[in-house]
Amino acid sequence: MATPMAAGANAPVLILPDMARSLGVSASTATWLVASYAWAMAVGTPLLAGLLRRRGLRAALHLAGALLVGGTLLVAASPWLPLTLAGRATQAAGGAGLAAVAMSLAGSARRMGVISAGFGILGASGPLLGAQLSEAVSWRLSLSVSVIAILAVPMVGRYAAAPSAPAAPVAAPQDTFDARGAALLTALATALVLLPHAPAAALGSSALAATLLVLHVRRRPDGFVPAALIRRPLFLGSALLALALSGSYFTLLFSVPRLLTERAGWDATTAGTGQLVALLTGSALSWLLAAASARMSRAAVRAVLVGVGALAATIAVFASWGPLLLVATLGGIFAATGSNAVLSMHAASSAPEPQRPTAIGLFALCYQLGGAFGPAIATALVLTA
C-alpha cells in the first residue's frame, strides 16, 4: 500500500522533456510536476497522520484512497499544466496518507526497513517504468502508476481490524484539532519547497511562517506540532539528517543520468538500466542496515549513513567513469532509504505513544522536503547547464 507512490514520484525522471513538449512548457517548468508531488507528500503526511491519530485508521484509509483515485483521474484527463499540477498534488496527498498508515502500523525498524526498501525498489523502477509506459502509451499513464496502491487498502483495513494487529495510537476524545498549527506548518513547508525556485520570496515567507509557528507552539504546546517533541534532540537530529540525505539522493537521482551521458558517453537506455541496477542494489542493502540496526548503537548507524551519503555526493561531483557514477547513485539511495527506515523509528521512539503518528508525520515531512529540493537542485546544477 505504501510503496507504489515511489514509482509514481520517480516516473518523470527520464521523460521530463516529453512532458514539457506535450504541455508546451520548458523543461524547468515541467519540473513543477515533480515539485508539486513532493510538496503534497511533505505537507500531506503530517496532516493525514493527524487524521489517523484523531479519527483512527478507517477514516485515514478512506480519505487517502479517495484523494489518490481523484488525483489520478485528474492527471489522466487534464490538458493544462495547472490542472495537472493539482492532480499530481492530490495524488501525492493520498499516497502520503497511505504511507502514514503503513508507517504507523510498522512498529519496528525491521518492518520499517521492508517499507523503506520497498520505497527504494519501486522508486528505482520508476524512471525506467515511466519511460517505457510513456513510449508505449502516454506519459500520463506513467504518472498514474501509484494508483495501484488502492488495491491494498481493503486488505490493510481487514488486517488492522484483526485483534492481533498493532493499533495506531489515537488522540484523546477531548482534544480539539489545532487548525492554526496545521495551517502554519503547511505554510512553512510550502515556502521551503519554493525556496529553490524563488529564493528571495520563499526565504521571507518561510521566516515569517516559522516565526508565527514558533509563537503558536508556545501558546499551544500540545497542538498539531507538539512542543515537547520538537525540543527533543533525538527527534530533531533524526529529522534533519533524513532531510539532508534525502535531498542529496534526489539530486543524484535526477543528475546522474545526465552526467552519464555527458561525462561517460552513455546513451539514455544504458544510463537508465545502469541506474536501475544501482538503485535496486542500494535499496536491498539499506534493508540489511535496517535489520542490523537493532544490534548497533545510534551513533554507529548515523556514522554509516553520513559516511556513505557524503562519499556518494563527493563521487558524483568528481567522477567521470560511468560505473563510479552508478556507485554514487547506489550510495545515495542506501543512505536515504536507510535513514527513512532507521531514523524514523528513532524519531518515533522519542515521542510518547499517543504522539507517535505525529512524530512519524513530521519526520516524513522533513524527508519529503528533500524530495522537493533535489529535483530543483539538479535542475540548477546539471539539467540546465
Side-chain angles (χ1 to χ4, degrees):
M1 186 178 70
T3 55
M5 69 179 188
N10 293 347
V13 169
L14 299 177
I15 59 172
L16 276 174
D18 296 334
M19 293 160 55
R21 282 193 296 270
S22 175
L23 293 168
V25 297
S26 66
S28 60
T29 302
T31 60
W32 280 102
L33 287 167
V34 180
S36 66
Y37 196 95
W39 167 79
M41 281 293 303
V43 301
T45 304
L47 291 174
L48 271 294
L51 177 67
L52 172 65
R53 176 174 174 246
R54 293 192 51 76
R55 297 295 180 87
L57 185 138
R58 184 180 296 273
L61 277 178
H62 288 173
L63 179 58
L67 290 172
L68 178 60
V69 173
T72 300
L73 292 175
L74 199 55
V75 167
S78 168
W80 304 295
L81 177 63
L83 205 55
T84 308
L85 288 173
R88 283 290 279 171
T90 306
Q91 261 187 328
L98 298 182
V101 171
M103 293 168 73
S104 294
L105 292 174
S108 71
R110 183 183 293 270
R111 293 193 188 103
M112 265 304 301
V114 175
I115 294 174
S116 189
F119 283 142
I121 291 169
L122 270 292
S125 307
L128 206 56
L129 177 63
Q132 294 297 322
L133 291 175
S134 178
E135 183 177 352
V137 184
S138 167
W139 60 265
R140 295 181 185 276
L141 180 61
S142 302
L143 301 189
S144 302
V145 294
S146 58
V147 77
I148 63 173
I150 200 69
L151 299 176
V153 169
M155 291 183 286
V156 173
R158 287 195 298 270
Y159 162 75
S164 59
V170 179
Q174 66 270 22
D175 290 348
T176 57
F177 179 65
D178 180 14
R180 181 175 296 180
L184 289 173
L185 181 66
T186 300
L188 176 59
T190 303
L192 290 173
V193 168
L194 293 173
L195 196 56
H197 303 277
L203 190 61
S205 299
S206 59
L208 177 61
T211 301
L212 293 175
L213 182 59
V214 168
L215 294 174
H216 176 75
V217 169
R218 288 179 178 175
R219 286 194 299 267
R220 187 165 178 180
D222 58 344
F224 191 81
V225 181
L229 179 63
I230 61 175
R231 288 172 183 160
R232 300 196 178 192
L234 178 57
F235 174 81
L236 279 180
S238 299
L240 293 177
L241 179 55
L243 187 154
L245 293 173
S246 171
S248 176
Y249 159 59
F250 280 100
T251 301
L252 291 171
L253 180 68
F254 282 81
S255 299
V256 166
R258 176 73 170 267
L259 296 177
L260 286 169
T261 300
E262 293 183 348
R263 296 181 185 176
W266 291 17
D267 59 38
T269 302
T270 304
T273 304
Q275 189 176 42
L276 174 62
V277 172
L279 292 171
L280 291 173
T281 304
S283 299
L285 291 175
S286 72
W287 180 82
L288 295 178
L289 175 65
S293 64
R295 301 186 298 274
M296 301 169 63
S297 68
R298 288 173 180 165
V301 171
R302 293 178 185 224
V304 170
L305 294 173
V306 171
V308 173
L311 181 62
T314 303
I315 290 173
V317 170
F318 296 105
S320 58
W321 187 44
L324 202 53
L325 287 169
L326 294 180
V327 169
T329 301
L330 187 155
I333 193 171
F334 171 85
T337 56
S339 71
N340 193 32
V342 181
L343 299 183
S344 63
M345 291 297 99
H346 292 180
S349 69
S350 69
E353 187 70 22
Q355 289 184 349
R356 290 198 173 180
T358 300
I360 289 175
L362 294 176
F363 173 90
L365 183 151
C366 291
Y367 185 87
Q368 293 299 333
L369 282 175
F373 292 155
I377 295 171
T379 298
L381 298 180
V382 176
L383 300 181
T384 58

